Amino acid sequence: MDQHIAESIGRPDLIRLDDRLVCLRFETMKAVSALAAVRHLLDTGAVRRGDTLLDSSSGIYAYALALACHRYGMRCHIVGSTTVDHTLRTQLAVLGATLEQMEPCSDLKLDQKRRVERIHEILAEHPEYHWMRQYHDDVHYLGYAAVADRIRETLGSADGLTVVGGVGSGASTGALARYLRTGPEGRAAADVELVGVQPYGSITFGAGHTTDPDIIIAGIGSSIPFGNVSHELYDTVHWISFDAALAGSVDLLRRHAVFAGLSTGAGYLAARHERGRSPERTVLFVAADTGHRYVDTVHARHREAVPIADLAPQEVTDRGRLALPWSRMQWDRAAAPAS
């Protein structure tokens, strides 16, 4: 029996959509990394119960950290993006977390920059606070070891598995690939390929020169460098636009009854494509959260969705040739691109 709701929220379901396509569905994925990170910090004496944990978030991590702090008797302070909505603000308040939300801003890079600047101001005022650094501290990898074990146990093996998901801070897909490739007890592991999904405009894999006329999909890209992204773990990268991700989210709900957000819709598109390219492999894609935050912006627009059969990626070998709505590039476990 779970001792706290955060443990249940962070436990994923594995749903077989067809013989070679599997959905790893979370209610709130970052609860996995936040819980394990806070537990590790307590166990190692880096923090004590009652301390204040601080971080910046566009939304999901704020909720996850608030849950972890509630679970372990910590205080939580969030510097939030403009994207934090009324529902999340209310949940954070009731959970006892404090939120400083940035003023509205259409520029993601400026929003992230302002949040980081505010973090440094707070630390100068309160040096006793612990900055979680979700984008840079690999303590956030730890929680995914149990998820990798669950995948291996459910599928019987990780051999011939392709994992697809948003890159974001680098912790989720990067950690899953690392743990699945390593195998139980550190044994040399299986043939596991990793496919990262990015929005246009993200600098993480060198697409900062591109733009999406709609929005950058929150959570899977970045306009600032993230230390937790291990580029050498990724075999392939897909860049997917808002419109294409919307079509993926709508099709996933219509075809498979899985209600999820934009990053999942993008991952679903990429996973279907990878499955078609490699008939011998099982493809697993990450559904990081439910679709509730996207009802008005995505699912209510289902009649606008392009049939996914009409969508296919443009294959590129040069990031200078990236083009909307969807591009795919072999990354081949290369190092980070030159900035």
Side-chain angles (χ1 to χ4, degrees), residues 156-180:
S157 168
D159 246 336
L161 181 65
T162 298
V163 176
V164 181
V167 177
S169 68
S172 58
T173 48
L176 286 173
R178 183 171 290 173
Y179 288 124
L180 287 167

Side-chain angles (χ1 to χ4, degrees), residues 234-280:
Y234 293 84
D235 296 283
T236 307
V237 180
H238 289 248
W239 289 267
I240 296 179
S241 71
F242 171 86
D243 286 341
L246 182 151
S249 298
V250 169
D251 189 86
L252 181 60
L253 179 57
R254 179 177 289 138
R255 191 186 303 259
H256 299 290
V258 176
F259 182 47
L262 275 176
S263 67
T264 303
Y268 170 64
L269 279 185
R272 285 174 56 92
H273 181 78
E274 295 300 324
R275 181 194 57 178
R277 291 177 64 94
S278 303
E280 75 285 359

Side-chain angles (χ1 to χ4, degrees), residues 49-307:
R49 287 181 182 268
D51 284 354
T52 297
L53 305 184
L54 167 72
D55 215 341
S56 162
S57 173
S58 60
I60 295 176
Y61 185 79
Y63 179 51
L65 185 60
L67 287 171
C69 287
H70 189 278
R71 167 71 176 86
Y72 290 112
M74 316 291 290
R75 295 185 176 89
C76 178
H77 188 91
I78 299 293
V79 178
S81 168
T82 61
T83 58
V84 175
D85 61 19
H86 172 71
T87 299
L88 180 54
R89 288 196 301 270
T90 303
Q91 287 175 294
L92 294 175
V94 176
L95 284 168
T98 55
L99 170 68
E100 292 185 42
Q101 189 168 9
M102 295 289 100
E103 293 296 319
C105 175
S106 59
D107 185 330
L108 176 63
K109 184 172 184 178
L110 179 59
D111 179 61
Q112 289 180 320
K113 180 174 181 290
R114 290 191 306 178
R115 281 188 276 142
V116 172
E117 288 173 349
R118 180 57 187 148
I119 290 285
H120 286 292
E121 291 173 357
I122 292 169
L123 288 171
E125 298 165 8
H126 298 280
E128 73 279 11
Y129 286 7
H130 182 86
W131 183 13
M132 292 297 294
R133 302 178 76 244
Q134 64 150 322
Y135 304 132
H136 305 290
D137 191 338
D138 64 5
V139 70
H140 292 92
Y141 274 53
L142 297 176
Y144 294 101
V147 179
D149 289 342
R150 181 171 170 79
I151 292 169
R152 193 182 294 107
E153 290 164 6
T154 303
L155 298 182
S157 168
D159 246 336
L161 181 65
T162 298
V163 176
V164 181
V167 177
S169 68
S172 58
T173 48
L176 286 173
R178 183 171 290 173
Y179 288 124
L180 287 167
R181 287 171 181 165
T182 303
E185 301 174 0
R187 292 195 298 269
D191 163 25
V192 175
E193 293 187 357
L194 180 59
V195 177
V197 179
Q198 286 272 273
Y200 291 92
S202 173
I203 71 166
T204 306
F205 283 84
H209 62 287
T210 63
T211 58
D212 189 326
D214 288 289
I215 64 168
I216 291 179
I217 304 169
I220 67 170
S222 178
S223 60
I224 59 176
F226 284 171
N228 270 343
V229 177
S230 296
H231 294 76
E232 68 279 3
L233 294 172
Y234 293 84
D235 296 283
T236 307
V237 180
H238 289 248
W239 289 267
I240 296 179
S241 71
F242 171 86
D243 286 341
L246 182 151
S249 298
V250 169
D251 189 86
L252 181 60
L253 179 57
R254 179 177 289 138
R255 191 186 303 259
H256 299 290
V258 176
F259 182 47
L262 275 176
S263 67
T264 303
Y268 170 64
L269 279 185
R272 285 174 56 92
H273 181 78
E274 295 300 324
R275 181 194 57 178
R277 291 177 64 94
S278 303
E280 75 285 359
R281 303 184 70 84
T282 295
V283 181
L284 177 147
F285 69 96
V286 177
D289 63 349
T290 66
H292 294 88
R293 293 197 304 155
Y294 304 93
V295 170
D296 293 331
T297 55
V298 175
H299 296 287
R301 299 171 57 184
H302 60 92
R303 292 182 182 84
E304 303 172 27
V306 176

